[in-house]
């Protein structure tokens, strides 16, 4: 553990409506600790529509704007413009969307905001399916995973969309991955993002106990294993060019089976399937290493 | 529209303009803007919906958004468009409902017309700065648009309807005070040579200007015909329409739109407004000028002649359609 103190300020109440062990709830708590109370949160349709609490309650001590599924980035751009014109350049505008609202439905508005380099922080908490509506596959669902629309006999045959590559291709000043298993890394990245002008994108893996079919007390464990097995490497990309790996390149990765075997959504996999997933992960890892090498 | 919703929620005065498919594309967010009670003002150039692609005028784009909670004002001239933008902010920011100005493609858009640009200081006097009661503000954190369970949702919808009812008075007041400062007024509806008319023609948008000419000609020929222009369509000025039509022997409505399977939308609205009224003249519903086909003085004459020569009203009469 590096020298690290979790900011003591709590901007999220304990009375939120997240499921037990919700990775997305913990992610919000860390994000707000990093950003502080001069923050406005924009939430499209996603699990957080519910977690934030129904009218007249709210689980956040910062302003929240709920908006439609595809509009997180563009609504955040509007909030930013209004703050700027009123002379408030200090407040951070945080778009906080799930994988469905980012990888699929909100991609064009996110791409538009990124292309215009809107001064917003966009965090995608990725639980790898439409969890709020009952675990339907999204573009973020991993290869061969079970969801209600990709049942065991016909699991998802497409690999997870590489959202980081898409965002990096926009040349935005900052993009990074993070998980709740490494709060020091998570908070450092949010604070770094806050200090940069322009569009910042954070891709946060957010384990979902009901959707992943895993016990709620394993959220941190699964987040850590996702990094240790290189299913979800931690890295940053500056200005679409400079790749920074947040772990030793040489460290021996754990086999992906260590991660998969803890989750019911992968329980139907054969050894051959696991091998195919391992291969896919190795391929993406080698690509990432190549990018790191080429940019250093 | 989502950008405007974000900006208006954070306390800014906002404006955009769109047309046809652009409007249809933002349908979801039109509901959102109204439900969020944001006084956004937008101009919509009336253009026909595809397919097939069309860039010419008709009202199906804006009338498809009738039930989103937006106020709608159908304008006759470019001066009226500009004046209505100023009036719309005034009304929208009092009742907290969004407002859409509607203007016909190519007849008003893409054309040059001399207009008087109101003096900025007078506009400032007429329209004070926008100061929302609630906005996204880190000093006063609130949540906007959160899940509303059945025990509160209906009340929020009731309040939107009440705001629309209030908007009828606000439009009248806004128009009155506008006329005091700028010398122009438009009304929510405008009767033209309607007092002793046996046949009343009902129009909206630029067809009205053509109809004025035709009415003048017919009056010169000694025929008792008049005109009613519907300017404010939402909120619908039902009482004013009832009063304006009560003494007519027949009413002919020109709809530059079509609700497939029913008929012209203005005709439906007017019939609906009159049904519970003791004085309800027969209503002839004419659909004309779809996809930018010209509604010429000749076409309007035919419509009036048809109405005059038929005793039984018809819900839907297609004008000039090639069969």
């Amino acid at each position: 553990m590096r020298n690290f103190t979790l900011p003591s300020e709590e901007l999220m109440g304990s009375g939120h409506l997240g499921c037990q062990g919700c990775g997305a709830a913990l992610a919000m708590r860390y994000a707000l600790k990093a950003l502080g109370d001069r923050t406005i949160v924009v939430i499209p349709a996603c699990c957080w529509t519910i977690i934030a609490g129904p009218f007249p309650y709210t689980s956040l001590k910062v302003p929240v704007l709920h908006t439609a599924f595809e509009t997180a980035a563009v609504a955040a751009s509007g909030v930013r413009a209004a703050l700027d014109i009123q002379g408030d350049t200090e407040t951070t505008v945080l778009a906080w969307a799930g994988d469905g609202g980012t990888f699929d439905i909100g991609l064009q508005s996110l791409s538009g905001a990124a292309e215009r380099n809107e001064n917003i922080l966009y965090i995608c908490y990725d639980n790898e399916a439409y969890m709020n509506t009952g675990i339907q596959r999204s573009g973020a669902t991993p290869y061969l995973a079970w969801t209600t629309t990709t049942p065991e006999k016909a699991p998802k045959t497409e690999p997870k969309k590489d959202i980081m590559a898409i965002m990096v291709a926009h040349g935005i000043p900052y993009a990074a991955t993070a998980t709740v298993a490494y709060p020091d890394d998570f908070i450092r990245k949010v604070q770094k993002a806050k200090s940069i002008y322009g569009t910042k994108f954070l891709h946060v893996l957010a384990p979902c106990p009901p959707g992943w079919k895993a016990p709620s007390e394993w959220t941190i464990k699964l987040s850590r294993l996702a990094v240790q097995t290189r299913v979800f490497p931690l890295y940053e990309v500056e200005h679409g060019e400079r790749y920074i790996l947040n772990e030793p390149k040489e460290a021996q990765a754990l086999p992906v089976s260590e991660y998969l075997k803890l989750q019911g959504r992968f329980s139907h996999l054969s050894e051959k399937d696991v091998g195919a997933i391992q291969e896919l992960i190795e391929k993406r890892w080698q690509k990432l290493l190549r990018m790191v090498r080429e940019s250093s | 529209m989502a950008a405007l919703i974000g900006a208006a929620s954070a306390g800014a005065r906002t404006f955009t303009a769109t047309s046809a498919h652009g409007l249809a594309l933002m349908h979801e967010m039109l509901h959102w803007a109204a439900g969020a009670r944001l006084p956004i003002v937008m101009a919509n150039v009336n253009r026909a919906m595809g397919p097939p692609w069309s860039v010419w005028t008709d009202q199906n784009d804006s009338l498809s958004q009738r039930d989103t909670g937006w106020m709608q004002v159908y304008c006759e001239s470019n001066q009226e468009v500009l004046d209505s933008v100023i009036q719309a902010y005034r009304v929208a920011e009092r009742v907290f409902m969004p407002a859409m100005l509607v203007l016909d493609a190519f007849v008003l858009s893409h054309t040059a017309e001399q207009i008087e640009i109101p003096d900025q200081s007078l506009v400032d006097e007429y329209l004070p700065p926008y100061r929302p009661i609630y906005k996204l503000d880190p000093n006063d954190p609130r949540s906007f648009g959160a899940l509303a369970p059945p025990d509160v949702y209906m009340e929020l919808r009731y309040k939107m309807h009440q705001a629309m009812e209030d908007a009828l008075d606000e439009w009248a007041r806004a128009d009155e005070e506008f006329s005091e400062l700028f010398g122009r007024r438009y009304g929510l509806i405008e009767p033209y040579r309607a007092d002793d008319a046996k046949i009343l023609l009902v129009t909206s948008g630029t067809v009205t200007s053509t109809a004025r000419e035709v009415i003048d000609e017919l009056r010169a020929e000694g025929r008792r015909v008049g005109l009613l222009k519907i300017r404010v369509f939402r909120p619908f000025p039902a009482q004013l329409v009832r009063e304006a039509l009560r003494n007519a022997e027949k009413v002919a409505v020109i709809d530059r739109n079509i609700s497939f399977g029913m008929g012209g939308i203005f005709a439906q609205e007017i019939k609906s407004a009159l049904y519970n009224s003791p004085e309800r003249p027969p209503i002839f519903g004419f659909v004309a000028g779809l996809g930018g086909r010209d509604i010429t003085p000749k076409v309007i004459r035919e419509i009036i002649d048809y109405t005059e020569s038929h005793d039984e009203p018809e819900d839907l009469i297609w004008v000039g359609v090639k069969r």
Side-chain angles (χ1 to χ4, degrees), chain A residues 38 55 64 66 70 78 86, chain B residues 3 10 28 135 139 142 144 147:
Chain A
R38 303 299 299 182
F55 175 87
V64 177
H66 290 273
E70 69 285 7
Q86 292 171 93
Chain B
E28 180 192 17
K135 65 174 183 175
N139 297 319
R142 292 170 185 276
F144 294 81
L147 187 75

Side-chain angles (χ1 to χ4, degrees), chain A residues 37-40 49-50 53-55 57-58 61-71 74-75 78-79 82-83 85-86 88 91, chain B residues 2-12 25 28-29 32 135-149 152 156:
Chain A
D37 65 356
R38 303 299 299 182
T39 304
I40 292 173
T49 305
I50 306 299
F55 175 87
Y57 306 105
T58 175
K61 294 177 187 168
V62 295
V64 177
L65 177 68
H66 290 273
T67 187
F69 222 142
E70 69 285 7
T71 64
V74 60
V79 173
L83 295 180
I85 208 165
Q86 292 171 93
D88 176 1
T91 297
Chain B
L4 268 60
I5 288 166
S9 299
L25 188 63
E28 180 192 17
M29 302 321 288
W32 205 280
K135 65 174 183 175
L136 292 166
D137 179 3
N139 297 319
D140 180 24
R142 292 170 185 276
S143 170
F144 294 81
L147 187 75
V152 294
L156 296 170

